[in-house]
Amino acid sequence: MSEILKLVGVFKSYDGKNNVLKNIDLNIEKGEFIGIIGQSGSGKSTLLNIIGALDIPSKGDIYFNGENISHYNSEKRAQFRNKNIGFIFQFHFLLPQFNVIENILIPNWIDSGNDSHDKKEDALDILRDMKLEDIADRDSQNISGGQQQRVAIARALINKPAIVLADEPTGNLDSKTSSQIYNLLRDINKKYKTTFLIVTHNPEIAALCDRVVEISDGVIK
Ligand SMILES: Nc1ncnc2c1ncn2[C@@H]1O[C@H](COP(=O)(O)OP(=O)(O)O)[C@@H](O)[C@H]1O
Ligand SMILES: [Mg+2]
C-alpha cells in the first residue's frame, strides 16, 4: 500500500484564539476505508473540510501523494478538489432544476466547461453500479430519499476522485437504507481502490470500517 494523505501537526482556529483542531497527525493509505467518530462539535467536519481543501489549516501541513497542498491558493485548491476529491454530505443538495443524470454530470461541467458527451456514458455506468439506471431521466425531486442520496454519491464519483469525504452520509436515512448506502460505498472502495473518510454517528457502520479515528475536542484519541 502507498500513503495517499498525511497530516502533520495540523491546527485550525476560526477566531485566531481557540483551536478547534489541535496538533492532528494522521497517515492514510490509498484504498483505506476510515470511519471518523466523535461528539458533536469535536471537529469532525472541520477535519474533512481541511483534508478536502475546502478550508486551510491555521498551522501544519497536509500532503497528498507526497505533495504539500496546505499552501495552495484558492484557485489551486478548487482545481485540486475537482480533480481528486468527492464530497458526500448528510443532505444531498441535488439541484432541483436538473434531472438525475444532469445532477451527476454537474462536477464534470465545472471541470471541462462543457457537457462532454463521453462523460454521459461514465454517468450511466455509475448509475448501473447503483441500480439507478431506470431513474436517469427522472426529476431529482420526485425520487425517494435513499435514491437521492445515491444520486449524490454518483455525483461525488463522476470525476473518479482518489478520495471520497462523506460527512454523515446516512445521518438522514433509516437503518436499512443506511446499510445499503454503506455497502455501495464499500463496493466502490473495492472496485476503484477509492480512499474513504466517513464521519458517522452509526456504531454499526463505524464497526465495519477498516479503521476508526475518534476525535475528542479537536484531538485524535
Ligand atoms: N465556520 C466556522 N466558524 C466558526 N466556528 C466554527 C466554524 N465551523 C465550525 N466551528 C466550530 O468549530 C467546532 C468544531 O465544529 P465541527 O468541525 O463542525 O464539529 P463536528 O463536525 O464534529 O460536529 C465547533 O465548536 C464549531 O462551533
Ligand atoms: Mg459535523
Side-chain angles (χ1 to χ4, degrees):
M1 287 227 273
S2 63
E3 191 170 70
I4 188 163
L5 262 180
K6 185 181 176 79
L7 279 71
V8 184
V10 167
F11 286 79
K12 178 66 181 180
S13 171
Y14 290 105
D15 62 7
K17 288 191 302 230
N18 303 298
N19 286 308
V20 165
L21 296 179
K22 299 165 187 161
N23 202 19
I24 300 274
D25 292 326
L26 186 62
N27 294 16
I28 297 171
E29 300 287 328
K30 181 172 159 52
E32 268 198 289
F33 194 97
I34 298 178
I36 298 176
I37 61 168
Q39 292 189 345
S40 180
S42 57
K44 305 180 298 297
S45 296
T46 301
L47 179 67
L48 282 201
N49 290 346
I50 285 179
I51 289 174
L54 283 170
D55 203 349
I56 51 172
S58 307
K59 200 178 144 197
D61 293 298
I62 298 161
Y63 298 87
F64 173 78
N65 287 330
E67 179 167 339
N68 193 336
I69 64 163
S70 37
H71 307 297
Y72 281 2
N73 64 20
S74 62
E75 194 186 335
K76 269 197 105 173
R77 278 189 280 127
Q79 284 170 2
F80 167 80
R81 283 196 301 273
N82 213 265
K83 182 160 186 276
N84 301 298
I85 309 284
F87 292 96
I88 306 168
F89 302 96
Q90 180 174 2
F91 302 100
H92 55 76
F93 299 121
L94 298 180
L95 297 177
Q97 62 270 44
F98 296 110
N99 71 18
V100 165
I101 193 152
E102 287 165 345
N103 265 280
I104 294 170
L105 285 165
I106 284 168
N108 183 243
W109 295 341
I110 294 168
D111 200 27
S112 66
N114 64 49
D115 57 346
S116 57
H117 288 282
D118 49 332
K119 277 282 176 175
K120 197 163 177 188
E121 272 312 308
D122 287 353
L124 286 168
D125 279 346
I126 295 170
L127 280 170
R128 272 188 285 273
D129 280 352
M130 305 205 172
K131 315 256 183 290
L132 289 174
E133 64 268 38
D134 293 345
I135 66 162
D137 297 319
R138 289 269 292 278
D139 179 347
S140 59
Q141 303 303 294
N142 290 325
I143 54 178
S144 73
Q147 286 173 326
Q148 286 177 322
Q149 191 60 322
R150 279 185 285 156
V151 174
I153 293 168
R155 178 186 55 191
L157 296 173
I158 186 69
N159 284 346
K160 305 220 160 60
I163 301 174
V164 171
L165 303 174
D167 203 344
E168 299 182 43
T170 64
N172 196 29
L173 302 168
D174 63 73
S175 66
K176 182 162 171 253
T177 312
S178 296
S179 68
Q180 283 171 352
I181 299 269
Y182 166 82
N183 287 325
L184 189 59
L185 298 179
R186 259 302 186 187
D187 289 345
I188 294 154
N189 165 247
K190 295 217 174 82
K191 186 167 171 186
Y192 300 105
K193 301 271 179 292
T194 311
T195 304
F196 278 81
L197 275 84
I198 300 182
V199 172
T200 183
H201 284 131
N202 184 332
E204 286 163 36
I205 289 182
L208 294 167
C209 292
D210 296 334
R211 173 152 70 111
V212 176
V213 171
E214 182 172 1
I215 302 185
S216 174
D217 196 20
V219 177
I220 291 184
K221 275 192 172 173

